[in-house]
Amino acid sequence: MAFVQFSKVSLAFGDRDILKDVSVNLSAGTKAALTGANGAGKSTLIKIMAGLTEPDSGERIAQKDSRIAYLPQSGLVHSGCSLREEADKAFLWGYDLQKKIDSLGEEMERLHGEGNVAASEKLALEQSELLTRLEESGWYRRDSLAESVLLGLGFLRSDFTKRTEEFSGGWQMRIALAKCLMGLPDILLLDEPTNYLDLEARNWLEGFLADFKGGFLLVSHDRYFLDHTVNEVYELFGGDLKRYQGNFTHYEEVRKVELETLIAEYEKQQVEIQHLEDFINRFGYKATKAAQAQERQKMLDKILENKIEIPESLKKIHFKFPQAPHSGQLVVQADSLCKSYNGKINVINSLELLVEKGERLVVAGRNGAGKSTLLRMIAGVDSDFTGSIKLGSGVSVGYFSQDSAEKICGSQTILERLESECPLELVPKARDMLGAFLFRGDDVFKSIDVLSGGEKSRIALLELLLKPVNLLILDEPTNHLDMHSKDVLLDALKDFGGTVIFVSHDRGFIEDLSTRVLELKCDGEHDGTYRSFPGDYRYYIQRITDEENGTVGASSFGGGSAGANVSSANTSTGPVKEEVKSATKLNWEEQKKADSERRKIQREVERLEAEIAKVEEEKALLEAEMAKPEVYSNGEKAKSVQKKIDEAGAKLEELNAAWETAAEKLM
């Protein structure tokens, strides 16, 4: 059995211990995650395991001929050949082994010709062992394996002949991941392998790792992915490495209990430290108390040597959005929406979409399906399309994308910038909020100008969340967040009083937030196809599975054969989709009538909202008038103004009652 052992490995950067006597054993069958706060040293430990970084001390023992594949977080670029040729480089070890086998064969022939039978037989035995090793490695199935891995990770067959330099940074990392996997190493070391994968590719990778015969250790901030791939977790904290049996959720449950004990001990120690420091500060310079003060200092020094620290990744921080402004029930209406590139590819084709107040709509689909494009169009960033997009009455939009980081610049510190952007009531919580978004300790005093793209992206997201809007459009909001930060964001979005339209590749995040799924397809066969699924993401996945199995409309999903609303007339053919299309066609006239009535009610709701806003403004002006000394001190004037205020109040009650009646019809 192939294995790699690390015993009492230590590494320090200056006076900080990154690793302290760390020991870990990786072998065939290992399915492990490595976790810890940002900056704990996870990537450093993986590099030591891969043999790329030398520790200060410790021992690394690997079985002879064990093959280890390592994937870093980023930075790999491929060029100079086609995708398929680059993929074949994953099998160089096999070509080298084949050369050795051929060389042994030639040497055997030479020895046999010279009559040296014993030496020839010895080489024959060695050659046989190498042939068996090559056969068992899967090297002879490399072509089908390479194709399977590339397709599984989202590449198209038409990509196989493309030059590798034509692929973007994210796809470059997919190439690197593909090479790690198809080489079928004994040990896989993967540092954030899901960072550049869409949901379909992540799901495929889960299946690959489930069947993988070797061992692997991976770092990921995707809780769902970890729960479905690992059966043990190593936590790196304060330089120490501790192993937990079970999946990631089980680790978190056990760690929560440990943390409660740790916090109690931490608080007790903090009280003791405070008492000692108070005594030293009060009596340290008094001759009569000098001896006692020195004794207290020794006690304090001893405590500080074993000071308890609370892992940042396990601290719970909560914050709420500013209250969402009032809006109408209809938030977004898109009619006959079309978007094409170069006049050829219809990324979005005749899309009809209604988004109502309070919905959490996730836009799903493979990379390139048009998800980000649709979000840009709704946000008003992209106006190059046909059809129409209308925002409802009182809708105010907050939009986040990875491009948002480009707007973050200046010489302010992170803390100064956030405090200047914060609503006044949230300024005291600025440090906590920054901590939740991975800016901890002295990080908050960094200048904006020195931040990385990922750091600026987190600042942009946090600033957006602090603005009083009622429609959040979020494109990959979790990309640069760790698991704890995702939890903080998720809790805040669940409490958000407005509407959310979002794209994410984090399945756990999607499942916990979404209330409806809009699926987009653009793959040549289904250009511009879309379907709306009136349920959460779990329903969507079950629905797709039922369709693939040839069964639809399970009663538990409450939709019958039309449970998944096929909204586009250009969906692909097939018995399942034809069934859904037929159901849609039968209900078309009824739906058309209902839509017409709905639009009529919506216009009435919008009229009432405009009237309410007008009367509220008039009432506010009257109340401001009443507050003037020359008015409230004059009996006649005050009586006249008060009468108008009362009339406005009565009018508001009447309008609000009418609005509630109309709004209920839209529910």
Side-chain angles (χ1 to χ4, degrees), residues 188-368:
L188 271 170
L189 301 172
L190 306 176
D191 196 353
E192 295 285 3
T194 61
N195 268 5
Y196 303 97
L197 302 183
D198 56 23
L199 276 168
E200 290 77 10
R202 289 187 188 203
N203 292 340
W204 178 88
L205 181 57
E206 285 175 21
F208 180 94
L209 293 176
D211 297 333
F212 183 58
K213 303 304 181 186
F216 64 80
L217 179 75
L218 58 87
V219 175
S220 175
H221 293 315
D222 188 328
R223 183 182 285 106
Y224 182 95
F225 178 77
L226 290 176
D227 272 344
H228 288 75
T229 52
V230 308
N231 55 28
E232 59 181 322
V233 178
Y234 288 91
E235 185 195 53
L236 188 59
F237 172 65
D240 297 317
L241 189 70
K242 185 175 180 180
R243 179 179 177 272
Y244 295 82
Q245 187 67 36
N247 67 11
F248 196 84
T249 295
H250 181 260
Y251 148 75
E252 287 188 309
E253 291 169 352
V254 174
R255 198 68 178 97
K256 181 181 179 181
V257 175
E258 291 180 349
L259 183 62
E260 289 171 355
T261 303
L262 185 67
I263 288 174
E265 294 175 355
Y266 169 80
E267 291 175 347
K268 181 180 176 182
Q269 189 185 72
Q270 289 297 304
V271 170
E272 191 173 358
I273 289 172
Q274 188 64 53
H275 286 164
L276 290 171
E277 288 179 341
D278 287 347
F279 186 92
I280 294 166
N281 291 335
R282 287 175 63 193
F283 303 115
Y285 297 101
K286 291 187 178 182
T288 57
K289 297 285 187 179
Q292 293 96 319
Q294 288 176 6
E295 187 62 31
R296 297 296 197 285
Q297 184 63 56
K298 289 178 183 178
M299 293 169 64
L300 179 60
D301 292 342
K302 189 173 182 179
I303 291 175
L304 294 178
E305 286 178 7
N306 300 289
K307 187 178 179 182
I308 297 171
E309 298 286 354
I310 303 296
E312 289 285 352
S313 59
L314 294 173
K315 288 181 180 177
K316 294 301 179 185
I317 299 172
H318 300 280
F319 72 91
K320 290 183 177 291
F321 291 97
Q323 186 173 356
H326 178 76
S327 75
Q329 184 65 22
L330 180 61
V331 176
V332 177
Q333 179 175 352
D335 293 312
S336 303
L337 205 60
C338 295
K339 173 73 177 182
S340 63
Y341 289 107
N342 302 322
K344 298 177 181 178
I345 301 175
N346 292 315
V347 178
I348 295 169
N349 192 5
S350 302
L351 187 144
E352 305 284 334
L353 177 66
L354 289 176
V355 181
E356 296 188 338
K357 184 178 181 179
E359 283 196 284
R360 274 85 168 113
L361 174 69
V362 61
V363 184
R366 286 185 173 272
N367 279 10

Side-chain angles (χ1 to χ4, degrees), residues 407-408 412 414 417-418 420-421 437 448 457-468:
K407 302 173 184 177
I408 304 298
Q412 287 177 299
I414 297 172
R417 181 179 176 103
L418 188 68
S420 68
E421 297 286 335
F437 280 71
I448 294 292
S457 185
R458 296 201 301 270
I459 293 291
L461 177 59
L462 182 53
E463 287 183 358
L464 173 64
L465 301 181
L466 296 174
K467 293 178 180 177

Side-chain angles (χ1 to χ4, degrees), residues 376-570:
R376 286 197 300 271
M377 292 160 66
I378 296 173
V381 175
D382 184 348
S383 58
D384 183 20
F385 59 85
T386 60
S388 66
I389 297 176
K390 296 178 182 177
L391 300 181
S393 174
V395 172
S396 52
V397 177
Y399 172 58
F400 171 82
S401 72
Q402 298 308 308
D403 296 335
S404 300
E406 297 175 4
K407 302 173 184 177
I408 304 298
C409 58
S411 58
Q412 287 177 299
T413 67
I414 297 172
L415 183 59
E416 287 171 344
R417 181 179 176 103
L418 188 68
E419 287 178 339
S420 68
E421 297 286 335
C422 254
L424 193 59
E425 66 273 15
L426 290 178
V427 169
K429 298 182 180 179
R431 291 290 294 266
D432 281 347
M433 290 185 292
L434 286 169
F437 280 71
L438 306 182
F439 296 104
R440 294 160 182 156
D442 291 340
D443 286 347
V444 300
F445 301 116
K446 283 184 179 179
S447 169
I448 294 292
D449 286 336
V450 304
L451 300 182
S452 67
E455 289 172 322
K456 288 182 177 181
S457 185
R458 296 201 301 270
I459 293 291
L461 177 59
L462 182 53
E463 287 183 358
L464 173 64
L465 301 181
L466 296 174
K467 293 178 180 177
V469 299
N470 49 34
L471 172 58
L472 285 171
I473 301 175
L474 307 175
D475 192 357
E476 293 291 358
T478 64
N479 258 11
H480 300 284
L481 304 180
D482 67 2
M483 213 170 292
H484 172 57
S485 303
K486 289 178 189 178
D487 290 342
V488 173
L489 174 62
L490 182 61
D491 288 343
L493 289 172
K494 283 181 176 179
D495 291 338
F496 177 53
T499 306
V500 183
I501 302 174
F502 70 105
V503 169
S504 176
H505 290 157
D506 187 304
R507 180 159 173 176
F509 184 83
I510 295 173
E511 286 191 350
D512 284 341
L513 183 61
S514 64
T515 59
R516 179 177 159 208
V517 180
L518 178 68
E519 179 193 60
L520 302 182
K521 284 190 177 182
C522 182
D523 55 13
E525 183 182 355
H526 308 94
D527 284 355
T529 298
Y530 68 92
R531 293 197 293 173
S532 177
F533 292 77
D536 62 15
Y537 194 75
R538 291 179 183 86
Y539 166 80
Y540 164 70
I541 292 297
Q542 185 61 56
R543 178 75 192 195
I544 296 301
T545 301
D546 287 346
E547 290 181 2
E548 291 174 350
N549 294 335
T551 60
V552 291
S555 59
S556 59
F557 297 106
S561 60
N565 174 26
V566 179
S567 308
S568 173
N570 62 345

